[in-house]
Amino acid sequence: MKESPFVFPARGVGRRDYSLMVEHAVESTIRSYQDVYSEWQTISVAAGDDTEVDIAIPRGNVAIVSDFFASAPVSTLLGLTVYAVSDAIAGLVIRRTKYGSIASHLTKGFPFLGIIRFVVHNYSAVDLVDVVDIGAVGIYTSEQEYYLRIVTP
Amino acid sequence: MTAKLETFSAVARGVGRKDYSTVVEYATQASMRGHQVRYNSVASFTLPTVPFGVFYTLYFAFPGPLVEAPATPRHFYSILNTTERNALVICAFYRFASEADYWIFNPDRWYGTMYGYGEAELRFTNGIKTEEGKVYAVALAEYSANPTFTIHMASHSLLEEVVYG
């Protein structure tokens, strides 16, 4: 087929839309160049103490984490604090306290480029040995895709 | 600003029918498209309580002839296990490379474990996309002194009928 120019009326006010491709609205799903990011560990937390776990994101990749979990098969008050660590600077992402299970959902996710730092606190007087499951789930993509910009001539 | 209608020329690129639309709808609220199907299911199981025993239900990602069947991914958004007592329950979700790996419990991905009294839910904001040929399993268990328990597993997911390359 032959490409040809044609004329159509522009309606409305403001900047004209010269875009040649329109991205249709779909239910948010993982695209072909993305993967599911899912990292889980089972840890121990001593009574009244903290356990710190660092999960490294491989260089050149970005984990856009939308779901954070901490859960144990006990009715014990748990505290979950998640930091994003990059260039030795730790930024607070979430902080939650709840009995038994903590789930925190960020609709748009949070991009991690360096380290995801979990700090789990056990408020009880009982040691939790190898029963606390912590995890982060989201989208995994490359830094190049994450910083993709459309450059207009 | 005064609104003024005008005509201008734009170059049509590509093949197929020309797009004469004059209004562009921007992607806003996520909505279902024609090639997507919401898939919700609730399955109930009555199982014996085994000390520290955990049962798994099987999800075969895409059974059938793989040569002709289109690879239709399924996105799991929520898996919720609820029991009929105020007892501790588990909800865990795993992926296995093959059915043989499932039988020896050798998962290649662990998508999460949540515990809760009465119910436990794993909710994924962006969904867990299934892959062709893989086997998926949900853990079911109630930690109680009763000989049997009844558990209801509700899953909410999306079926894609078109795969984008």
Side-chain angles (χ1 to χ4, degrees):
Chain A
M1 274 175 111
K2 186 171 166 270
E3 292 185 3
S4 59
F6 63 99
V7 176
F8 64 91
R11 296 184 68 87
V13 293
R15 195 175 67 83
R16 286 175 185 157
D17 182 5
Y18 293 97
S19 59
L20 300 173
M21 293 176 67
V22 176
E23 185 79 13
H24 291 286
V26 291
E27 179 128 354
S28 60
T29 55
I30 290 167
R31 301 296 299 257
S32 54
Y33 57 85
Q34 300 166 333
D35 194 9
V36 176
Y37 178 78
S38 174
E39 186 65 43
W40 281 79
Q41 290 186 20
T42 301
I43 61 167
S44 302
V45 191
D49 205 357
D50 287 331
T51 295
E52 189 176 298
V53 177
D54 281 359
I55 298 169
I57 309 297
R59 201 165 187 72
N61 292 283
V62 180
I64 305 167
V65 179
S66 46
D67 307 308
F68 301 90
F69 302 94
S71 190
V74 287
S75 185
T76 295
L77 191 64
L78 295 175
L80 173 66
T81 311
V82 176
Y83 297 93
V85 183
S86 183
D87 297 329
I89 299 168
L92 181 65
V93 180
I94 61 157
R95 189 187 188 101
R96 298 283 293 270
T97 306
K98 200 165 173 279
Y99 274 87
S101 286
I102 298 170
S104 189
H105 306 284
L106 305 177
T107 309
K108 299 291 183 189
F110 188 93
F112 290 87
L113 286 89
I115 289 169
I116 306 174
R117 175 167 294 164
F118 280 84
V119 180
V120 182
H121 188 78
N122 175 4
Y123 288 90
S124 77
V126 179
D127 290 343
L128 300 174
V129 181
D130 287 336
V131 290
V132 182
D133 293 328
I134 57 168
V137 179
I139 294 172
Y140 198 52
T141 190
S142 68
E143 212 170 304
Q144 195 181 2
E145 294 286 357
Y146 181 71
Y147 287 118
L148 183 66
R149 291 188 183 93
I150 296 167
V151 179
T152 49
Chain B
M1 193 173 180
T2 307
K4 186 183 165 208
L5 291 179
E6 56 181 336
T7 57
F8 65 98
S9 177
V11 179
R13 295 184 67 86
V15 295
R17 195 173 67 82
K18 286 173 184 165
D19 183 4
Y20 291 98
S21 60
T22 53
V23 177
V24 176
E25 185 81 18
Y26 287 101
T28 51
Q29 183 98 3
S31 57
M32 303 289 291
R33 300 289 300 188
H35 63 271
Q36 296 174 331
V37 179
R38 171 67 70 189
Y39 189 86
N40 298 331
S41 75
V42 179
S44 299
F45 306 87
T46 298
L47 300 164
T49 308
V50 180
F52 304 106
V54 176
F55 296 86
Y56 298 91
T57 61
L58 268 179
Y59 276 110
F60 287 90
F62 309 104
L66 297 176
V67 177
E68 290 183 9
T72 51
R74 186 169 165 182
H75 300 264
F76 281 95
Y77 289 96
S78 169
I79 301 164
L80 187 145
N81 288 343
T82 182
T83 185
E84 296 174 346
R85 306 184 185 102
N86 187 27
L88 191 67
V89 289
I90 187 176
C91 180
F93 192 40
Y94 299 95
R95 187 185 80 179
F96 301 87
S98 66
E99 191 182 345
D101 281 327
Y102 162 76
W103 290 113
I104 58 169
F105 195 71
N106 180 31
D108 65 352
R109 291 292 287 269
W110 177 20
Y111 292 119
T113 298
M114 285 292 276
Y115 298 93
Y117 280 84
E119 67 172 40
E121 183 187 22
L122 272 173
R123 186 151 61 87
F124 306 107
T125 304
N126 291 293
I128 297 293
K129 187 179 183 179
T130 59
E131 288 178 35
E132 189 173 1
K134 303 284 186 181
V135 175
Y136 294 81
V138 176
L140 307 171
E142 180 188 288
Y143 299 83
S144 73
N146 297 288
T148 62
F149 66 98
T150 299
I151 197 161
H152 309 283
M153 187 194 75
S155 67
H156 299 272
S157 55
L158 182 79
L159 288 174
E160 291 242 23
E161 293 172 342
V162 174
V163 177
Y164 298 99

